[in-house]
Amino acid sequence: MNAQKRLEIFTRLRAENPEPRTELYWTTPFELLIAVLLSAQATDVGVNKATAKLYPVANTPESILALGVEGLKEYIKTIGLYNTKAENVIKTCRMLIELHDSEIPQTREALEALPGVGRKTANVVLNTAFGQPTMAVDTHIFRVSNRTRIAPGKNVLEVEHKLMRHVPKEFLVDAHHWLILHGRYTCVARKPRCGSCVIEDLCEYKDKVDL
């Protein structure tokens, strides 16, 4: 795919959704970090239901740590892998208090040192909370990047590096939101809704479906 096509693709995605946002509920960087930690192999809707009950009670490292692992589980037990996630969240809260004065670090290295935080989670926090031009490649972005040929790659890291290299700079901060939402609602896994896609004529997918 050439640079002109990519420019037009992101121009159209921006025109359709000028201020894209994550669908996770959050009001502080800490709330975002916890929501993203909880969202692994879970839906944003499911996470939001749990945090809607948790955050009014505990939404700081100190208050969640005070709940303890068992107390936290009561709020997140509807989310997949909640046992492991509860332990990681508690450990993360303790590290934030002890090492970072309860603030969320703004470097990938410091974020990835927190229990349960991988590269994708770190990228989401850096981008969404702090406006850094990062690319958190999830299953949606991986599929869209390969299917459209915007940034084809064999694994998420390859796709991430290609997106960082090929997405025009003016779109980098918001690009990961546009691609996630496009994959979630239009370029869906089983049968893409090509007929209602704003970039259908630019996409290089060979098996387009007129839906």
Side-chain angles (χ1 to χ4, degrees), residues 19-163:
E19 295 184 0
R21 295 286 180 265
T22 177
E23 294 185 320
L24 288 170
Y25 167 79
W26 67 285
T27 59
T28 66
F30 175 73
E31 287 186 353
L32 177 67
L33 173 63
I34 299 307
V36 179
L37 268 174
L38 296 175
S39 71
Q41 298 179 44
T43 65
D44 287 0
V45 171
V47 172
N48 288 340
K49 283 181 181 175
T51 57
K53 294 176 181 175
L54 171 65
Y55 288 162
V57 175
N59 69 341
T60 64
E62 291 82 1
S63 56
I64 288 184
L65 184 61
L67 288 175
V69 172
E70 294 306 316
L72 178 58
K73 283 181 186 179
E74 287 303 308
Y75 290 96
I76 66 169
K77 61 187 178 184
T78 53
I79 300 172
L81 308 175
Y82 73 94
N83 286 310
T84 302
K85 289 176 181 178
E87 291 185 12
N88 283 335
V89 168
I90 293 298
K91 289 175 186 172
T92 286
C93 288
R94 187 174 288 114
M95 283 182 68
L96 288 172
I97 294 165
E98 293 174 356
L99 302 179
H100 301 288
D101 295 323
S102 298
E103 296 295 320
I104 304 301
Q106 296 188 35
T107 67
R108 181 184 283 113
E109 294 73 24
L111 284 167
E112 286 187 18
L114 299 170
V117 176
R119 186 179 182 90
K120 185 180 78 173
T121 297
N123 280 340
V124 171
V125 173
L126 292 172
N127 177 273
T128 304
F130 302 119
Q132 294 186 26
T134 61
M135 199 65 62
V137 179
D138 68 349
T139 54
H140 296 302
I141 292 184
F142 185 77
R143 179 176 67 254
V144 170
S145 297
N146 276 288
R147 192 183 267 167
T148 62
R149 312 302 289 173
I150 289 172
K154 294 185 180 70
N155 55 58
V156 292
L157 196 58
E158 189 179 344
V159 169
E160 178 187 331
H161 288 156
K162 282 192 176 181
L163 286 169

